[in-house]
Amino acid sequence: IIIRNMDIFDRGGQESSQSEKESSSSQEKDANCSIYIMTGKSEDIYYRVKLTEGQGFKLDAPELTLDCVTFLGYFLEDGTQITNGEGSALVAWQGEQRYVLYPSYEYKIKTVEDLQALQTFSPVRRQDTYSFVKITLENDIDLSGVKDWEPLRIYACLDGKGHTIKNLTSTKGGLFGDIYGEGNKYVKNLNFENVKITINDIPGPGYFHIGILAGWFQGDVENVKVKSGKITVAKDLEDSIIYNEYTYHLIVGYVRNFKKCESNATIELK
């Protein structure tokens, strides 16, 4: 059974046309399964379909615009895979009345441009937290051509596969500003070399964290090593650091758990 857009009874809360409503109403009378695809706050897809016990089904796979991204399939929240990367079910339908599915992607970084494009890849942005994204580093990345690195804010897992981020220079923070997510979120097997972070002002009242890897991460960091680097903070910010919870760290400003990490970087007030 192939389920396509014609079978969608409600898409992201948008109002359907009269003909679409009439078609949906007639199909829904025979529907025996609800399928929710959680893609983001305003883009969730809801299907009501008629399935046959013992048969499989197929869902439309997301359209991809980046060559470095692969769609892995739709998964349950507990990590159970329901479809492959083409949207075809891996198991026959056995009478389940409801599926809540999460799209999963692999994002392979081979170039500086791939790394920068993370900022525009919707499934890793904080507002699109329903997607599962695994990021892997396939090569060493030299950022010497980027004058002032803009820290990324993502919701994903990252495996550096032993590769190195080199020559990161920034006046705003480290590689990531925040890596959102709890549970099984992780960053592992990543190296840094010749990092230079210079902080001359602060963004305002409240909490502000700086780290060479990230400012904030409610996940696990394992086997991340900073071979060389320096964080320089303006001397006149010293009181703000103490009294307003601004923190600067050699790997992550705030993190849930460290394992097998080390840093040879320094922090200096100047």
Side-chain angles (χ1 to χ4, degrees):
I1 298 174
I2 299 177
I3 304 170
R4 300 197 182 282
N5 288 343
M6 68 179 66
D7 301 310
I8 300 174
F9 297 125
D10 181 32
R11 187 185 184 97
Q14 298 178 1
E15 186 67 25
S16 301
S17 67
Q18 184 61 33
S19 61
E20 288 174 330
K21 289 179 179 178
E22 292 174 356
S23 175
S24 296
S25 178
S26 63
Q27 293 179 56
E28 190 164 9
K29 292 178 182 178
D30 296 324
N32 56 11
C33 184
S34 300
I35 301 177
Y36 300 83
I37 297 180
M38 312 300 285
T39 60
K41 288 184 177 179
S42 62
E43 301 172 357
D44 296 342
I45 300 173
Y46 170 46
Y47 299 84
R48 286 280 292 155
V49 296
K50 174 68 174 179
L51 298 179
T52 301
E53 190 165 351
Q55 289 188 356
F57 58 90
K58 184 175 182 180
L59 304 172
D60 282 341
E63 294 184 6
L64 302 177
T65 59
L66 295 172
D67 293 337
C68 57
V69 179
T70 301
F71 176 62
L72 301 178
Y74 293 108
F75 288 68
L76 298 179
E77 188 174 11
D78 65 5
T80 301
Q81 187 170 2
I82 299 300
T83 81
N84 61 20
E86 296 179 349
S88 297
L90 298 176
V91 295
W93 184 70
Q94 299 298 329
E96 293 88 351
Q97 295 182 343
R98 185 172 185 257
Y99 284 114
V100 179
L101 302 179
Y102 299 79
S104 181
Y105 304 87
E106 184 172 43
Y107 190 111
K108 293 186 177 182
I109 297 172
K110 297 180 179 179
T111 66
V112 174
E113 291 74 21
D114 291 342
L115 181 59
Q116 291 174 314
L118 269 175
Q119 196 73 291
T120 62
F121 182 49
S122 175
V124 301
R125 297 203 305 263
R126 188 180 186 183
Q127 62 266 37
D128 296 317
T129 56
Y130 296 124
S131 297
F132 298 150
V133 182
K134 177 185 177 182
I135 303 168
T136 60
L137 201 61
E138 302 297 319
N139 297 314
D140 291 350
I141 301 295
D142 187 347
L143 295 177
S144 58
V146 181
K147 184 178 180 180
D148 190 1
W149 177 257
E150 182 73 32
L152 304 169
R153 286 169 171 79
I154 65 169
Y155 186 101
C157 298
L158 171 63
D159 185 350
K161 300 174 73 172
H163 292 294
T164 302
I165 303 290
K166 303 177 181 179
N167 302 315
L168 185 156
T169 301
S170 179
T171 60
K172 303 177 181 69
L175 181 64
F176 299 104
D178 302 297
I179 307 174
Y180 301 103
E182 302 179 8
N184 62 350
K185 295 297 182 289
Y186 61 80
V187 176
K188 63 183 181 180
N189 306 324
L190 181 63
N191 302 310
F192 290 88
E193 185 177 306
N194 193 32
V195 177
K196 297 178 181 178
I197 299 173
T198 304
I199 304 297
N200 292 315
D201 57 349
I202 52 180
Y207 292 86
F208 179 59
H209 304 281
I210 290 289
I212 288 175
L213 169 62
W216 178 281
F217 181 35
Q218 289 181 301
D220 300 325
V221 176
E222 180 178 356
N223 196 32
V224 173
K225 300 177 181 179
V226 181
K227 298 178 180 179
S228 59
K230 185 175 183 180
I231 299 175
T232 302
V233 183
K235 180 71 174 177
D236 57 3
L237 298 181
E238 184 174 9
D239 289 341
S240 296
I241 295 170
I242 295 173
Y243 295 110
N244 289 308
E245 297 293 338
Y246 298 116
T247 61
Y248 302 85
H249 292 266
L250 298 179
I251 297 179
V252 181
Y254 176 90
V255 67
R256 182 178 65 185
N257 186 43
F258 276 118
K259 184 178 180 181
K260 298 180 181 178
C261 296
E262 61 184 63
S263 178
N264 292 317
T266 60
I267 299 177
E268 179 183 5
L269 285 172
K270 188 174 183 181

PDB file of all heavy atoms in Angstrom, residues 35 37 57-62 71-76 80-91 101-104:
ATOM      1  N   ILE A  35      -1.406   7.686  11.201  1.00  0.00           N
ATOM      2  CA  ILE A  35       0.049   7.806  11.105  1.00  0.00           C
ATOM      3  C   ILE A  35       0.420   9.278  11.235  1.00  0.00           C
ATOM      4  O   ILE A  35      -0.003  10.106  10.425  1.00  0.00           O
ATOM      5  CB  ILE A  35       0.583   7.237   9.781  1.00  0.00           C
ATOM      6  CG1 ILE A  35       0.211   5.761   9.645  1.00  0.00           C
ATOM      7  CG2 ILE A  35       2.105   7.415   9.705  1.00  0.00           C
ATOM      8  CD1 ILE A  35       0.639   5.140   8.334  1.00  0.00           C
ATOM      9  N   ILE A  37       3.534  11.918  11.285  1.00  0.00           N
ATOM     10  CA  ILE A  37       4.954  12.123  10.996  1.00  0.00           C
ATOM     11  C   ILE A  37       5.347  13.458  11.604  1.00  0.00           C
ATOM     12  O   ILE A  37       4.870  14.514  11.188  1.00  0.00           O
ATOM     13  CB  ILE A  37       5.236  12.098   9.482  1.00  0.00           C
ATOM     14  CG1 ILE A  37       4.890  10.716   8.924  1.00  0.00           C
ATOM     15  CG2 ILE A  37       6.703  12.423   9.210  1.00  0.00           C
ATOM     16  CD1 ILE A  37       5.128  10.571   7.451  1.00  0.00           C
ATOM     17  N   PHE A  57       3.427  -1.137   3.900  1.00  0.00           N
ATOM     18  CA  PHE A  57       2.964   0.147   3.378  1.00  0.00           C
ATOM     19  C   PHE A  57       4.183   1.006   3.063  1.00  0.00           C
ATOM     20  O   PHE A  57       5.310   0.697   3.470  1.00  0.00           O
ATOM     21  CB  PHE A  57       2.042   0.861   4.379  1.00  0.00           C
ATOM     22  CG  PHE A  57       2.666   1.115   5.720  1.00  0.00           C
ATOM     23  CD1 PHE A  57       3.364   2.284   5.978  1.00  0.00           C
ATOM     24  CD2 PHE A  57       2.555   0.172   6.730  1.00  0.00           C
ATOM     25  CE1 PHE A  57       3.942   2.513   7.222  1.00  0.00           C
ATOM     26  CE2 PHE A  57       3.127   0.386   7.976  1.00  0.00           C
ATOM     27  CZ  PHE A  57       3.820   1.564   8.223  1.00  0.00           C
ATOM     28  N   LYS A  58       3.962   2.056   2.326  1.00  0.00           N
ATOM     29  CA  LYS A  58       5.055   2.939   1.943  1.00  0.00           C
ATOM     30  C   LYS A  58       4.628   4.386   2.098  1.00  0.00           C
ATOM     31  O   LYS A  58       3.539   4.772   1.663  1.00  0.00           O
ATOM     32  CB  LYS A  58       5.499   2.681   0.499  1.00  0.00           C
ATOM     33  CG  LYS A  58       6.713   3.509   0.078  1.00  0.00           C
ATOM     34  CD  LYS A  58       7.199   3.136  -1.315  1.00  0.00           C
ATOM     35  CE  LYS A  58       8.446   3.937  -1.693  1.00  0.00           C
ATOM     36  NZ  LYS A  58       8.947   3.589  -3.034  1.00  0.00           N
ATOM     37  N   LEU A  59       5.505   5.196   2.725  1.00  0.00           N
ATOM     38  CA  LEU A  59       5.266   6.614   2.933  1.00  0.00           C
ATOM     39  C   LEU A  59       6.188   7.429   2.034  1.00  0.00           C
ATOM     40  O   LEU A  59       7.271   6.973   1.664  1.00  0.00           O
ATOM     41  CB  LEU A  59       5.536   6.991   4.392  1.00  0.00           C
ATOM     42  CG  LEU A  59       4.755   6.220   5.456  1.00  0.00           C
ATOM     43  CD1 LEU A  59       5.274   6.580   6.835  1.00  0.00           C
ATOM     44  CD2 LEU A  59       3.272   6.520   5.341  1.00  0.00           C
ATOM     45  N   ASP A  60       5.772   8.636   1.696  1.00  0.00           N
ATOM     46  CA  ASP A  60       6.659   9.528   0.948  1.00  0.00           C
ATOM     47  C   ASP A  60       7.875   9.863   1.793  1.00  0.00           C
ATOM     48  O   ASP A  60       7.761  10.218   2.976  1.00  0.00           O
ATOM     49  CB  ASP A  60       5.935  10.830   0.591  1.00  0.00           C
ATOM     50  CG  ASP A  60       4.995  10.655  -0.592  1.00  0.00           C
ATOM     51  OD1 ASP A  60       5.171   9.679  -1.336  1.00  0.00           O
ATOM     52  OD2 ASP A  60       4.084  11.486  -0.750  1.00  0.00           O
ATOM     53  N   ALA A  61       9.051   9.776   1.211  1.00  0.00           N
ATOM     54  CA  ALA A  61      10.276  10.204   1.886  1.00  0.00           C
ATOM     55  C   ALA A  61      10.432  11.712   1.724  1.00  0.00           C
ATOM     56  O   ALA A  61       9.972  12.283   0.736  1.00  0.00           O
ATOM     57  CB  ALA A  61      11.486   9.480   1.294  1.00  0.00           C
ATOM     58  N   PRO A  62      11.064  12.395   2.681  1.00  0.00           N
ATOM     59  CA  PRO A  62      11.268  13.839   2.570  1.00  0.00           C
ATOM     60  C   PRO A  62      12.132  14.194   1.359  1.00  0.00           C
ATOM     61  O   PRO A  62      13.010  13.431   0.955  1.00  0.00           O
ATOM     62  CB  PRO A  62      11.986  14.200   3.873  1.00  0.00           C
ATOM     63  CG  PRO A  62      11.728  13.065   4.796  1.00  0.00           C
ATOM     64  CD  PRO A  62      11.611  11.850   3.938  1.00  0.00           C
ATOM     65  N   PHE A  71      18.472  10.413   3.912  1.00  0.00           N
ATOM     66  CA  PHE A  71      17.314  10.062   4.732  1.00  0.00           C
ATOM     67  C   PHE A  71      17.406   8.585   5.091  1.00  0.00           C
ATOM     68  O   PHE A  71      17.508   7.730   4.213  1.00  0.00           O
ATOM     69  CB  PHE A  71      16.017  10.358   3.981  1.00  0.00           C
ATOM     70  CG  PHE A  71      14.774   9.936   4.714  1.00  0.00           C
ATOM     71  CD1 PHE A  71      14.448  10.493   5.937  1.00  0.00           C
ATOM     72  CD2 PHE A  71      13.932   8.962   4.178  1.00  0.00           C
ATOM     73  CE1 PHE A  71      13.313  10.101   6.628  1.00  0.00           C
ATOM     74  CE2 PHE A  71      12.783   8.564   4.845  1.00  0.00           C
ATOM     75  CZ  PHE A  71      12.473   9.129   6.083  1.00  0.00           C
ATOM     76  N   LEU A  72      17.360   8.269   6.384  1.00  0.00           N
ATOM     77  CA  LEU A  72      17.535   6.890   6.846  1.00  0.00           C
ATOM     78  C   LEU A  72      16.219   6.144   7.007  1.00  0.00           C
ATOM     79  O   LEU A  72      16.194   4.910   6.971  1.00  0.00           O
ATOM     80  CB  LEU A  72      18.279   6.880   8.181  1.00  0.00           C
ATOM     81  CG  LEU A  72      19.669   7.520   8.177  1.00  0.00           C
ATOM     82  CD1 LEU A  72      20.268   7.486   9.571  1.00  0.00           C
ATOM     83  CD2 LEU A  72      20.586   6.833   7.180  1.00  0.00           C
ATOM     84  N   GLY A  73      15.130   6.881   7.196  1.00  0.00           N
ATOM     85  CA  GLY A  73      13.833   6.243   7.369  1.00  0.00           C
ATOM     86  C   GLY A  73      13.045   6.894   8.486  1.00  0.00           C
ATOM     87  O   GLY A  73      13.471   7.881   9.086  1.00  0.00           O
ATOM     88  N   TYR A  74      11.858   6.333   8.762  1.00  0.00           N
ATOM     89  CA  TYR A  74      11.005   6.809   9.851  1.00  0.00           C
ATOM     90  C   TYR A  74      11.140   5.868  11.045  1.00  0.00           C
ATOM     91  O   TYR A  74      11.119   4.641  10.899  1.00  0.00           O
ATOM     92  CB  TYR A  74       9.550   6.875   9.409  1.00  0.00           C
ATOM     93  CG  TYR A  74       9.290   7.931   8.358  1.00  0.00           C
ATOM     94  CD1 TYR A  74       9.022   7.581   7.036  1.00  0.00           C
ATOM     95  CD2 TYR A  74       9.314   9.285   8.683  1.00  0.00           C
ATOM     96  CE1 TYR A  74       8.780   8.547   6.069  1.00  0.00           C
ATOM     97  CE2 TYR A  74       9.084  10.266   7.725  1.00  0.00           C
ATOM     98  CZ  TYR A  74       8.812   9.882   6.420  1.00  0.00           C
ATOM     99  OH  TYR A  74       8.580  10.842   5.477  1.00  0.00           O
ATOM    100  N   PHE A  75      11.251   6.452  12.242  1.00  0.00           N
ATOM    101  CA  PHE A  75      11.491   5.697  13.461  1.00  0.00           C
ATOM    102  C   PHE A  75      10.434   6.033  14.510  1.00  0.00           C
ATOM    103  O   PHE A  75       9.854   7.122  14.501  1.00  0.00           O
ATOM    104  CB  PHE A  75      12.867   6.055  14.047  1.00  0.00           C
ATOM    105  CG  PHE A  75      14.034   5.526  13.264  1.00  0.00           C
ATOM    106  CD1 PHE A  75      14.324   6.009  11.991  1.00  0.00           C
ATOM    107  CD2 PHE A  75      14.862   4.550  13.791  1.00  0.00           C
ATOM    108  CE1 PHE A  75      15.406   5.536  11.264  1.00  0.00           C
ATOM    109  CE2 PHE A  75      15.949   4.062  13.074  1.00  0.00           C
ATOM    110  CZ  PHE A  75      16.222   4.551  11.814  1.00  0.00           C
ATOM    111  N   LEU A  76      10.214   5.102  15.436  1.00  0.00           N
ATOM    112  CA  LEU A  76       9.441   5.402  16.634  1.00  0.00           C
ATOM    113  C   LEU A  76      10.318   6.182  17.606  1.00  0.00           C
ATOM    114  O   LEU A  76      11.549   6.223  17.473  1.00  0.00           O
ATOM    115  CB  LEU A  76       8.961   4.116  17.302  1.00  0.00           C
ATOM    116  CG  LEU A  76       8.021   3.217  16.490  1.00  0.00           C
ATOM    117  CD1 LEU A  76       7.673   1.969  17.299  1.00  0.00           C
ATOM    118  CD2 LEU A  76       6.759   3.969  16.092  1.00  0.00           C
ATOM    119  N   THR A  80      13.020   2.476  17.411  1.00  0.00           N
ATOM    120  CA  THR A  80      12.658   1.360  16.533  1.00  0.00           C
ATOM    121  C   THR A  80      12.421   1.860  15.113  1.00  0.00           C
ATOM    122  O   THR A  80      11.639   2.790  14.899  1.00  0.00           O
ATOM    123  CB  THR A  80      11.380   0.660  17.034  1.00  0.00           C
ATOM    124  OG1 THR A  80      11.604   0.176  18.360  1.00  0.00           O
ATOM    125  CG2 THR A  80      11.005  -0.506  16.131  1.00  0.00           C
ATOM    126  N   GLN A  81      13.100   1.266  14.135  1.00  0.00           N
ATOM    127  CA  GLN A  81      12.957   1.695  12.748  1.00  0.00           C
ATOM    128  C   GLN A  81      11.726   1.052  12.123  1.00  0.00           C
ATOM    129  O   GLN A  81      11.556  -0.161  12.154  1.00  0.00           O
ATOM    130  CB  GLN A  81      14.199   1.344  11.942  1.00  0.00           C
ATOM    131  CG  GLN A  81      14.178   1.925  10.527  1.00  0.00           C
ATOM    132  CD  GLN A  81      15.512   1.770   9.814  1.00  0.00           C
ATOM    133  OE1 GLN A  81      16.451   1.204  10.358  1.00  0.00           O
ATOM    134  NE2 GLN A  81      15.601   2.293   8.602  1.00  0.00           N
ATOM    135  N   ILE A  82      10.866   1.881  11.519  1.00  0.00           N
ATOM    136  CA  ILE A  82       9.634   1.395  10.903  1.00  0.00           C
ATOM    137  C   ILE A  82       9.748   1.330   9.384  1.00  0.00           C
ATOM    138  O   ILE A  82       9.218   0.419   8.746  1.00  0.00           O
ATOM    139  CB  ILE A  82       8.441   2.288  11.296  1.00  0.00           C
ATOM    140  CG1 ILE A  82       8.261   2.252  12.823  1.00  0.00           C
ATOM    141  CG2 ILE A  82       7.151   1.834  10.614  1.00  0.00           C
ATOM    142  CD1 ILE A  82       7.982   0.874  13.390  1.00  0.00           C
ATOM    143  N   THR A  83      10.443   2.291   8.758  1.00  0.00           N
ATOM    144  CA  THR A  83      10.625   2.262   7.306  1.00  0.00           C
ATOM    145  C   THR A  83      12.096   2.413   6.957  1.00  0.00           C
ATOM    146  O   THR A  83      12.909   2.871   7.764  1.00  0.00           O
ATOM    147  CB  THR A  83       9.841   3.384   6.588  1.00  0.00           C
ATOM    148  OG1 THR A  83      10.589   4.615   6.671  1.00  0.00           O
ATOM    149  CG2 THR A  83       8.453   3.581   7.176  1.00  0.00           C
ATOM    150  N   ASN A  84      12.428   2.062   5.715  1.00  0.00           N
ATOM    151  CA  ASN A  84      13.778   2.317   5.228  1.00  0.00           C
ATOM    152  C   ASN A  84      13.869   3.727   4.649  1.00  0.00           C
ATOM    153  O   ASN A  84      12.924   4.516   4.744  1.00  0.00           O
ATOM    154  CB  ASN A  84      14.183   1.266   4.190  1.00  0.00           C
ATOM    155  CG  ASN A  84      13.264   1.265   2.973  1.00  0.00           C
ATOM    156  OD1 ASN A  84      12.551   2.237   2.688  1.00  0.00           O
ATOM    157  ND2 ASN A  84      13.275   0.159   2.228  1.00  0.00           N
ATOM    158  N   GLY A  85      14.996   4.038   4.027  1.00  0.00           N
ATOM    159  CA  GLY A  85      15.205   5.376   3.502  1.00  0.00           C
ATOM    160  C   GLY A  85      14.326   5.745   2.323  1.00  0.00           C
ATOM    161  O   GLY A  85      14.236   6.911   1.952  1.00  0.00           O
ATOM    162  N   GLU A  86      13.670   4.761   1.736  1.00  0.00           N
ATOM    163  CA  GLU A  86      12.728   5.028   0.642  1.00  0.00           C
ATOM    164  C   GLU A  86      11.297   5.152   1.145  1.00  0.00           C
ATOM    165  O   GLU A  86      10.379   5.372   0.352  1.00  0.00           O
ATOM    166  CB  GLU A  86      12.823   3.914  -0.396  1.00  0.00           C
ATOM    167  CG  GLU A  86      14.189   3.833  -1.078  1.00  0.00           C
ATOM    168  CD  GLU A  86      14.270   2.710  -2.090  1.00  0.00           C
ATOM    169  OE1 GLU A  86      13.341   1.876  -2.114  1.00  0.00           O
ATOM    170  OE2 GLU A  86      15.245   2.686  -2.863  1.00  0.00           O
ATOM    171  N   GLY A  87      11.105   4.984   2.449  1.00  0.00           N
ATOM    172  CA  GLY A  87       9.775   5.100   3.030  1.00  0.00           C
ATOM    173  C   GLY A  87       9.007   3.797   3.116  1.00  0.00           C
ATOM    174  O   GLY A  87       7.863   3.773   3.583  1.00  0.00           O
ATOM    175  N   SER A  88       9.597   2.679   2.672  1.00  0.00           N
ATOM    176  CA  SER A  88       8.912   1.380   2.704  1.00  0.00           C
ATOM    177  C   SER A  88       9.003   0.755   4.089  1.00  0.00           C
ATOM    178  O   SER A  88      10.082   0.728   4.696  1.00  0.00           O
ATOM    179  CB  SER A  88       9.530   0.429   1.680  1.00  0.00           C
ATOM    180  OG  SER A  88       9.358   0.913   0.360  1.00  0.00           O
ATOM    181  N   ALA A  89       7.861   0.241   4.576  1.00  0.00           N
ATOM    182  CA  ALA A  89       7.823  -0.377   5.894  1.00  0.00           C
ATOM    183  C   ALA A  89       8.712  -1.614   5.941  1.00  0.00           C
ATOM    184  O   ALA A  89       8.753  -2.401   5.001  1.00  0.00           O
ATOM    185  CB  ALA A  89       6.393  -0.747   6.259  1.00  0.00           C
ATOM    186  N   LEU A  90       9.419  -1.770   7.061  1.00  0.00           N
ATOM    187  CA  LEU A  90      10.294  -2.923   7.241  1.00  0.00           C
ATOM    188  C   LEU A  90       9.543  -4.118   7.804  1.00  0.00           C
ATOM    189  O   LEU A  90      10.046  -5.243   7.762  1.00  0.00           O
ATOM    190  CB  LEU A  90      11.453  -2.553   8.171  1.00  0.00           C
ATOM    191  CG  LEU A  90      12.377  -1.437   7.663  1.00  0.00           C
ATOM    192  CD1 LEU A  90      13.419  -1.101   8.718  1.00  0.00           C
ATOM    193  CD2 LEU A  90      13.048  -1.847   6.364  1.00  0.00           C
ATOM    194  N   VAL A  91       8.371  -3.867   8.363  1.00  0.00           N
ATOM    195  CA  VAL A  91       7.543  -4.947   8.904  1.00  0.00           C
ATOM    196  C   VAL A  91       6.121  -4.778   8.398  1.00  0.00           C
ATOM    197  O   VAL A  91       5.683  -3.666   8.086  1.00  0.00           O
ATOM    198  CB  VAL A  91       7.556  -4.954  10.447  1.00  0.00           C
ATOM    199  CG1 VAL A  91       8.944  -5.273  10.972  1.00  0.00           C
ATOM    200  CG2 VAL A  91       7.077  -3.622  10.992  1.00  0.00           C
ATOM    201  N   LEU A 101       5.705   8.727  14.091  1.00  0.00           N
ATOM    202  CA  LEU A 101       6.989   8.475  13.445  1.00  0.00           C
ATOM    203  C   LEU A 101       7.846   9.733  13.379  1.00  0.00           C
ATOM    204  O   LEU A 101       7.334  10.845  13.211  1.00  0.00           O
ATOM    205  CB  LEU A 101       6.755   7.936  12.032  1.00  0.00           C
ATOM    206  CG  LEU A 101       5.926   6.655  11.918  1.00  0.00           C
ATOM    207  CD1 LEU A 101       5.763   6.259  10.460  1.00  0.00           C
ATOM    208  CD2 LEU A 101       6.557   5.520  12.718  1.00  0.00           C
ATOM    209  N   TYR A 102       9.137   9.515  13.474  1.00  0.00           N
ATOM    210  CA  TYR A 102      10.109  10.606  13.461  1.00  0.00           C
ATOM    211  C   TYR A 102      11.098  10.373  12.323  1.00  0.00           C
ATOM    212  O   TYR A 102      11.726   9.313  12.256  1.00  0.00           O
ATOM    213  CB  TYR A 102      10.858  10.665  14.792  1.00  0.00           C
ATOM    214  CG  TYR A 102       9.968  10.926  15.978  1.00  0.00           C
ATOM    215  CD1 TYR A 102       9.204   9.902  16.538  1.00  0.00           C
ATOM    216  CD2 TYR A 102       9.886  12.198  16.529  1.00  0.00           C
ATOM    217  CE1 TYR A 102       8.382  10.141  17.627  1.00  0.00           C
ATOM    218  CE2 TYR A 102       9.067  12.446  17.615  1.00  0.00           C
ATOM    219  CZ  TYR A 102       8.311  11.419  18.163  1.00  0.00           C
ATOM    220  OH  TYR A 102       7.487  11.670  19.232  1.00  0.00           O
ATOM    221  N   PRO A 103      11.268  11.338  11.416  1.00  0.00           N
ATOM    222  CA  PRO A 103      12.243  11.169  10.335  1.00  0.00           C
ATOM    223  C   PRO A 103      13.666  11.180  10.877  1.00  0.00           C
ATOM    224  O   PRO A 103      13.983  11.933  11.799  1.00  0.00           O
ATOM    225  CB  PRO A 103      11.988  12.379   9.426  1.00  0.00           C
ATOM    226  CG  PRO A 103      11.326  13.386  10.310  1.00  0.00           C
ATOM    227  CD  PRO A 103      10.561  12.631  11.343  1.00  0.00           C
ATOM    228  N   SER A 104      14.513  10.344  10.307  1.00  0.00           N
ATOM    229  CA  SER A 104      15.899  10.251  10.741  1.00  0.00           C
ATOM    230  C   SER A 104      16.826  10.497   9.561  1.00  0.00           C
ATOM    231  O   SER A 104      16.584  10.013   8.454  1.00  0.00           O
ATOM    232  CB  SER A 104      16.166   8.867  11.353  1.00  0.00           C
ATOM    233  OG  SER A 104      17.502   8.762  11.790  1.00  0.00           O
TER     234      SER A 104
END
